[in-house]
Structure formats: structure tokens, C-alpha cells
Amino acid sequence: PEAVPGDNVGFNIKNVAVRELRRGFVASNSKQDPAKEASAFDAQVIIMNHPGKISNGYCPVLDCHTAHIACKFTEIKAKMDKRNGKKLEDFPKSIKTGDASLCTLTPTKPMVVETFKEYAPLGRFAVRDMKQSVAVGVIKSVVKGESTGKSTISAAKA
């Protein structure tokens, strides 16, 4: 059997009950590149539809893969040109609809994300507020925290 893009794939893991799995969990290779919680990450964010201005401290919900977790805009590092990615302004006070920016975000709960270059599905997100998507983004770099994930018994033996 072969899965192609768009197919939903289900699988079971020895010694892991279905009830233990929650929305946002990520399965990974525990030996080569284990999934780790992100303590913070830098992302290029494009504001599409926000009625006001976004400044440091803004804390909307990010939809990344299957996770829906509030993340704080810790620091807006730069305002950029949407088309070519050149910096227009360093450390702007705020950004508004139509702006592209480089921001540091900090999740309020444990969240696994990766850079868009390494793992594209884990590296893109939508910013939701007021029951609508207000921005989209791609992750450029990740500061990984401690690995709090569970390793199966068979993975520990390998």
C-alpha cells in the first residue's frame, strides 16, 4: 500500500494507547531527529486582514499542523518588503494589514514546530483572531526546548 499527498493515513504504535494521543502531537524518528518542543521561533509573517495594528505582546491563536495554540509576538524584529524580502525598517513599533515582517513568537503551551525548509507542513501557520485568519507565516528558525516526548519501548531498544 502506498499513500499519496492528500490521503489520510492511520497507524498504530506499540505501547501507545489511542487515548494518550491529543491534537497537535507529532510523531518523529527518536534516533535521528526527535521532535522537540519549541521555546520560541522566528517567522516571516504577512498580515492579511487585521482591523488594527499589531505590536509586541499581541497573543493570537496560531494554527500550525493540527495544533491550535496561543503564541505571543515577543518581538517584531523587522518590517520587510513582501515581494523581495528586503528589510524596510528595523524593530518597528507596530505592523498593520498588508505588511510583511520578521517576528519572534513564543508559544504559551508546549508546541512542536520546525523550519519551513526542513519540514514544510510543520513550518507554516495561520494566525487566527476574532474568528478569522488575520495573518499567515513561515518559520525561519526554531529555539528548541527540552524533549518531553514519549519514546516507545521498541524505539529505546533500537
Side-chain angles (χ1 to χ4, degrees):
E2 184 180 319
V4 294
D7 287 353
N8 284 329
V9 179
F11 59 93
N12 292 320
I13 304 170
K14 268 193 230 172
N15 304 314
V16 177
V18 177
R19 285 180 219 83
E20 291 178 46
L21 302 176
R22 297 268 175 268
R23 176 180 284 282
F25 277 18
V26 175
S28 68
N29 184 334
S30 61
K31 294 283 179 254
Q32 288 175 331
D33 193 5
K36 287 190 175 145
E37 174 186 324
S39 55
F41 55 93
D42 287 347
Q44 182 179 339
V45 182
I46 297 171
I47 313 302
M48 298 183 320
N49 180 21
H50 194 275
K53 291 182 176 178
I54 292 173
S55 53
N56 293 344
Y58 178 56
C59 195
V61 172
L62 254 65
D63 289 359
C64 185
H65 55 96
T66 60
H68 306 301
I69 292 174
C71 290
K72 186 178 185 178
F73 277 69
T74 313
E75 184 177 46
I76 301 170
K77 290 184 169 181
K79 196 184 281 190
M80 307 162 82
D81 187 303
K82 263 198 294 197
R83 284 160 189 78
N84 59 20
K86 286 186 179 153
K87 281 187 186 179
L88 299 174
E89 184 185 343
D90 281 330
F91 303 102
K93 278 263 185 270
S94 63
I95 48 179
K96 60 185 186 319
T97 300
D99 286 345
S101 61
L102 188 65
C103 305
T104 301
L105 290 99
T106 308
T108 57
K109 292 181 183 166
M111 179 180 189
V112 175
V113 293
E114 293 288 345
T115 60
F116 184 75
K117 271 190 176 133
E118 284 184 67
Y119 299 100
L122 295 175
R124 63 176 144 242
F125 60 86
V127 179
R128 291 183 59 81
D129 198 5
M130 303 162 291
K131 296 183 182 171
Q132 62 182 358
S133 290
V134 296
V136 291
V138 290
I139 296 167
K140 298 292 187 185
S141 67
V142 180
V143 178
K144 293 188 179 180
E146 291 302 308
S147 180
T148 53
K150 177 178 179 178
S151 261
T152 59
I153 295 166
S154 54
K157 288 179 190 171

